[in-house]
Amino acid sequence: MTQVVDELARRLAPGTLPSPPEHGDTLDHARRQALVRLRILTGVKEALRHLEDQAARAAADGGAGYPEIGQAMRMSRQGARRRWPGLITNSTPRPNHRPTYRSS
C-alpha cells in the first residue's frame, strides 16, 4: 500500500513544480520538490481519513460494533469509540437475529 501511495504522490508532484533550473540551485529545487510531495501526501492522508469515516459509518449501518470496527482499523474498541463517538447508537440498524425454536 505504501508503494502505491508513494507512486501516486510522485506522479502528482511533477505537474505542480516548474522545471528544474538549468544552471541554478539544485538543492533549492530538491527542497521545493520535497515540500510539494509532503503537501500531496498530506492531502492523501486527509482523503484516506475521509474514506475511513465513510467506511466506518457504512460498517456501523450494516450492524458492526466498535469491537469489529476497531479490529478492522487495527485499534482497540475504545480507540474506535474515541475516533467515532456516537457512531454506534441504539438507532443504528442491526441485523435481526431471532432464535430458532424446534418443536419436540
Side-chain angles (χ1 to χ4, degrees):
M1 193 59 67
T2 301
Q3 289 176 336
V4 171
V5 173
D6 186 47
E7 180 62 27
L8 173 66
R10 289 180 191 282
R11 287 182 183 204
L12 291 173
T16 59
L17 273 178
S19 300
E22 289 182 28
H23 304 288
D25 188 357
T26 57
L27 289 178
D28 185 52
H29 182 73
R31 186 187 84 237
R32 285 193 318 251
Q33 281 183 316
L35 291 171
V36 166
R37 187 165 176 258
L38 185 60
R39 184 176 14 172
I40 289 168
L41 290 171
T42 299
V44 168
K45 183 172 65 172
E46 290 170 0
L48 286 173
R49 191 151 176 111
H50 176 73
L51 292 172
E52 286 173 348
D53 292 347
Q54 287 180 335
R57 174 139 332 269
D61 289 347
Y66 283 118
E68 293 171 291
I69 293 170
Q71 184 179 19
M73 290 291 297
R74 296 183 181 168
M75 64 173 59
S76 67
R77 172 189 60 81
Q78 293 89 350
R81 181 171 276 172
R82 279 192 295 269
R83 168 90 186 262
W84 296 286
L87 182 66
I88 311 297
T89 64
N90 291 338
S91 63
T92 301
R94 301 244 182 237
N96 247 345
H97 295 289
R98 296 183 183 163
T100 306
Y101 297 100
R102 296 184 187 172
S103 59
S104 37

